[in-house]
């Protein structure tokens, strides 16, 4: 209990002045004194007609029945859509999706989940599809941690539908990749049919040579076909698989040289093909650079 030194009036313990005579009590404000602050998070949405608080995704006011119109999309969806529209390349879009933070509010989570699931399709590159799938998983996990069971059930239904779509897309993509690989193999075989035919003719010549016949014409024909195919390696659109076919043919020629009575021609053909493949390989590297 404190009293004023001037007039003797009882004053509060934390008073800075006597409320009767105005004499300072000598108590100063404590700058380190902690005070409780009230911080408001988010916005309260109310009906424009009656002021009733409105729940998320409401189309009508529960109190007066007022219909809500011209309600815009969530801030999160508007933000990422605006950023994606400014992206020019696929890599920029991927970076934009990966760096975009998962929203916190229920409305934004729902809208973002719908946006991510709607962008999962076969019409976009695989790398961009993977970015959307990753963001979809992150949004689902955050909803599981932050939303109530009732709200999360809706998010989970969207996620499960998107997962089924992803499974179908992945199956179709794998089938397409397998079909493309088979097509490339057949294309390589057709482009290098000369090497294959030349080797078959040389194997036939080997059978003639072992049976005691004259295989010189078959050898000349087979090696001629191989040499002709070797010159095709110098075309402008040659591929590394074509060069590999030439190397394999050269190795087979060298191995056949030991099986013939006189295998000098096959030895010469083998080293000749090695030289053609080496030149073609270095020319292709120089052109790529």
């Amino acid at each position: 209990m404190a009293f004023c030194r001037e007039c003797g009036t009882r004053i509060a313990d934390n008073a800075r002045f006597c409320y009767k005579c105005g004499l300072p009590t000598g108590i100063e404000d404590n700058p380190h004194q902690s005070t409780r602050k009230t911080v408001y998070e988010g916005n309260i949405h109310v009906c424009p007609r009656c002021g009733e608080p409105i729940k998320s995704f409401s189309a009508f006011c529960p109190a007066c029945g007022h219909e809500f119109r011209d309600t815009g999309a969530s801030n999160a969806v508007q933000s990422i859509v605006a950023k994606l529209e400014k992206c020019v390349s696929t890599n920029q879009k991927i970076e934009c999706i990966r760096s975009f933070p998962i929203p916190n509010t229920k409305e934004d989570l729902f809208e973002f989940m719908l946006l991510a699931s709607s962008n999962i399709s076969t019409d976009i590159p695989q790398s961009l599809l993977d970015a959307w799938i990753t963001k979809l998983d992150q949004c689902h996990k955050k909803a599981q941690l932050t939303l109530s069971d009732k709200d999360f059930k809706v998010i989970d239904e969207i996620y499960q539908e998107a997962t089924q779509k992803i499974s179908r897309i992945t199956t179709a993509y794998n089938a397409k990749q397998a079909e493309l690989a088979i097509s490339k193999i057949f294309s390589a075989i057709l482009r290098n049919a000369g090497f294959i035919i030349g080797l078959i003719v040389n194997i036939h010549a080997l059978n003639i040579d072992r049976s005691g016949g004259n295989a010189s014409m078959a050898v000349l024909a087979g090696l001629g076909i191989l040499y002709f195919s070797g010159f095709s390696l110098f075309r402008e659109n040659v591929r590394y698989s074509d060069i590999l076919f030439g190397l394999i043919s050269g190795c087979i020629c060298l191995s056949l040289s030991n099986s013939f009575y006189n295998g000098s021609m096959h030895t010469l053909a083998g080293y000749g093909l090695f030289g053609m493949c080496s030149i073609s390989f270095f020319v292709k590297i120089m052109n790529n650079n």
Side-chain angles (χ1 to χ4, degrees):
M1 185 179 298
F3 297 90
C4 176
R5 298 191 305 271
E6 182 68 23
C7 63
T9 303
R10 180 183 297 178
I11 57 177
D13 293 337
N14 58 349
R16 296 176 60 194
F17 300 93
C18 174
Y19 72 92
K20 187 174 184 181
C21 65
L23 181 70
T25 59
I27 299 176
E28 301 292 338
D29 288 337
N30 185 4
H32 301 291
Q33 183 178 3
S34 62
T35 57
R36 178 177 293 180
K37 296 181 180 180
T38 302
V39 179
Y40 297 95
E41 290 286 349
N43 299 318
I44 298 176
H45 296 265
V46 297
C47 174
R49 174 183 288 179
C50 66
E52 177 75 12
I54 304 301
K55 295 182 178 180
S56 303
F57 307 108
S58 296
F60 297 89
C61 174
C64 67
H66 176 68
E67 181 182 2
F68 303 129
R69 297 182 179 181
D70 300 327
T71 54
S74 67
N75 294 330
V77 172
Q78 288 179 341
S79 176
I80 190 171
V81 169
K83 289 182 178 180
L84 288 173
E85 288 178 350
K86 296 179 181 179
C87 296
V88 179
S89 63
T90 301
N91 291 333
Q92 290 178 344
K93 292 181 179 180
I94 293 173
E95 185 61 28
C96 176
I97 295 170
R98 288 178 176 175
S99 60
F100 193 80
I102 299 297
N104 296 317
T105 64
K106 179 173 68 174
E107 295 91 339
D108 287 345
L109 281 171
F110 274 99
E111 294 288 346
F112 191 84
M113 197 76 177
L114 290 172
L115 176 68
S117 61
S118 64
N119 278 277
I120 295 176
S121 66
T122 55
D123 299 330
I124 60 176
Q126 182 66 30
S127 55
L128 187 60
L129 177 63
D130 293 338
W132 278 116
I133 292 175
T134 301
K135 220 62 183 176
L136 188 74
D137 292 335
Q138 293 175 0
C139 187
H140 180 261
K141 290 179 181 178
K142 189 164 188 177
Q144 187 176 13
L145 294 173
T146 58
L147 299 182
S148 63
D149 293 340
K150 181 180 179 181
D151 294 331
F152 174 71
K153 184 178 180 181
V154 180
I155 289 280
D156 190 57
E157 290 177 356
I158 300 174
Y159 180 76
Q160 295 302 329
E161 292 179 1
T163 303
Q164 294 176 3
K165 186 191 297 185
I166 293 169
S167 178
R168 292 193 298 268
I169 291 175
T170 303
T171 302
Y173 177 78
N174 292 336
K176 186 177 180 180
Q177 289 298 108
E179 182 180 351
L180 184 62
I182 295 174
S183 176
K184 287 182 177 180
I185 292 173
F186 276 106
S187 178
I189 292 174
L190 291 176
R191 288 196 313 271
N192 297 279
F195 288 118
I196 299 173
I197 294 173
L199 291 175
I200 292 174
V201 173
N202 276 281
I203 293 173
H204 176 65
L206 178 61
N207 293 330
I208 296 174
D209 186 73
R210 286 185 173 179
S211 62
N214 185 4
S216 56
M217 293 300 295
V219 170
L220 288 175
L223 295 180
I225 296 173
L226 288 175
Y227 267 113
F228 180 79
S229 301
F231 283 113
S232 67
L233 296 176
F234 297 110
R235 66 182 186 275
E236 185 177 356
N237 60 342
V238 68
R239 302 182 182 180
Y240 289 112
S241 58
D242 303 335
I243 300 174
L244 181 61
F245 263 96
L247 288 174
I248 294 173
S249 300
C251 292
I252 294 176
C253 282
L254 289 178
S255 63
L256 289 176
S257 64
N258 297 323
S259 302
F260 280 91
Y261 179 75
N262 183 7
S264 58
M265 293 292 292
H266 288 85
T267 302
L268 182 62
Y271 286 119
L273 287 175
F274 284 160
M276 292 179 180
C277 292
S278 300
I279 296 172
S280 177
F281 178 75
F282 285 112
V283 169
K284 184 171 180 62
I285 291 178
M286 294 297 292
N287 291 335
N288 290 339
N289 294 334

